[in-house]
Amino acid sequence: MEQTLKLFLKVFNKDAYIVGGALRDILLKRPLNDIDLAVPRSADLEKKLKSIAKKKSLAFFPLDKKEQTYRMILKKPFIVQIDISAIKGKN
């Protein structure tokens, strides 16, 4: 999982942010079952995410292409759902 998150940071030039309940779980040292990431909005976002999915053998599918929301599933060593959303607004 750590290597997958590092790849997100590399692909998005360190502009990938863990948000939501995953942040709480990390701080409380709970196991992660799902991770929500916020990344910069871009015309090639889906292409970037597909490249990550391919490199890490993750299942990948769009949840809402218009809003740029996607899901990846990591199956090994345990199942983890990764939801990725484009950052909305200017900040």
Side-chain angles (χ1 to χ4, degrees), residues 5-44:
L5 293 175
K6 285 182 179 180
L7 182 56
F8 273 96
L9 289 173
K10 181 178 178 183
V11 169
F12 291 100
N13 297 315
K14 299 183 182 176
D15 281 336
Y17 303 93
I18 297 174
V19 296
L23 187 56
R24 176 203 60 230
D25 291 343
I26 290 168
L27 292 172
L28 295 175
K29 298 183 180 179
R30 295 179 182 168
L32 293 175
N33 298 320
D34 67 284
I35 297 173
D36 299 315
L37 295 176
V39 297
R41 184 172 294 278
S42 67
D44 65 344

Side-chain angles (χ1 to χ4, degrees), residues 28-63:
L28 295 175
K29 298 183 180 179
R30 295 179 182 168
L32 293 175
N33 298 320
D34 67 284
I35 297 173
D36 299 315
L37 295 176
V39 297
R41 184 172 294 278
S42 67
D44 65 344
L45 177 57
E46 186 169 349
K47 181 180 176 182
K48 288 177 180 179
L49 294 175
K50 282 181 178 179
S51 77
I52 292 170
K54 185 175 180 179
K55 286 179 185 175
K56 293 297 180 177
S57 299
L58 304 173
F60 171 82
F61 53 95
L63 296 175

